[in-house]
């Protein structure tokens, strides 16, 4: 599932400038890492980590879950550089 999301993200990142590193940590399901202008499922250190369930990640990327709402409801937790997390909104647009 995360590999499919990574493939879609790679396509979307082609037209966007994102010079930071961001990891979506979906626990036992795995990770999705945005770095170096691409997306992968290989774990690595990043500027910012967002802990989120795979289900909620799918909703977030589909636009069915707003980042601010998810944060307030505890559906995602941010650690590291909050500025990078804020850039996520630009990527999702």
């Amino acid at each position: 599932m995360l590999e499919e999301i990574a493939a879609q993200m790679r396509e979307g990142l082609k037209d966007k400038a994102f010079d930071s590193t961001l990891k979506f940590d979906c626990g036992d399901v795995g990770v999705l890492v945005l770095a170096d202008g691409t997306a992968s499922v290989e774990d690595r250190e990043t500027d910012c980590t967002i802990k989120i369930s795979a289900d909620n990640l799918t909703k977030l990327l589909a636009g069915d879950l707003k980042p601010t709402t998810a944060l307030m409801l505890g559906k995602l937790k941010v650690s590291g550089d909050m500025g990078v997390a804020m850039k996520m909104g630009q990527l999702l647009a």
Side-chain angles (χ1 to χ4, degrees):
M1 174 179 143
L2 289 180
E3 185 56 53
E4 293 171 14
I5 294 172
Q8 292 173 350
M9 292 295 287
R10 280 191 285 274
E11 282 299 311
L13 286 170
K14 286 181 181 178
D15 302 331
K16 310 235 180 200
F18 184 69
D19 57 357
S20 300
T21 57
L22 175 67
K23 176 176 16 182
F24 293 98
D25 182 349
C26 298
D28 293 340
V29 176
V31 298
L32 174 63
V33 176
L34 307 180
D36 305 321
T38 191
S40 75
V41 293
E42 293 181 31
D43 199 1
R44 67 180 259 189
E45 288 294 317
T46 57
D47 300 325
C48 180
T49 299
I50 297 175
K51 288 188 172 271
I52 187 169
S53 70
D55 230 17
N56 284 331
L57 176 60
T58 301
K59 291 176 185 174
L60 183 73
L61 296 175
D64 297 330
L65 179 64
K66 302 291 182 220
T68 306
T69 304
L71 184 63
M72 290 190 312
L73 293 175
K75 294 185 178 195
L76 68 81
K77 293 184 181 4
V78 179
S79 59
D81 187 341
M82 184 61 90
V84 174
M86 301 299 281
K87 291 181 187 178
M88 180 181 64
Q90 297 169 0
L91 295 177
L92 298 176

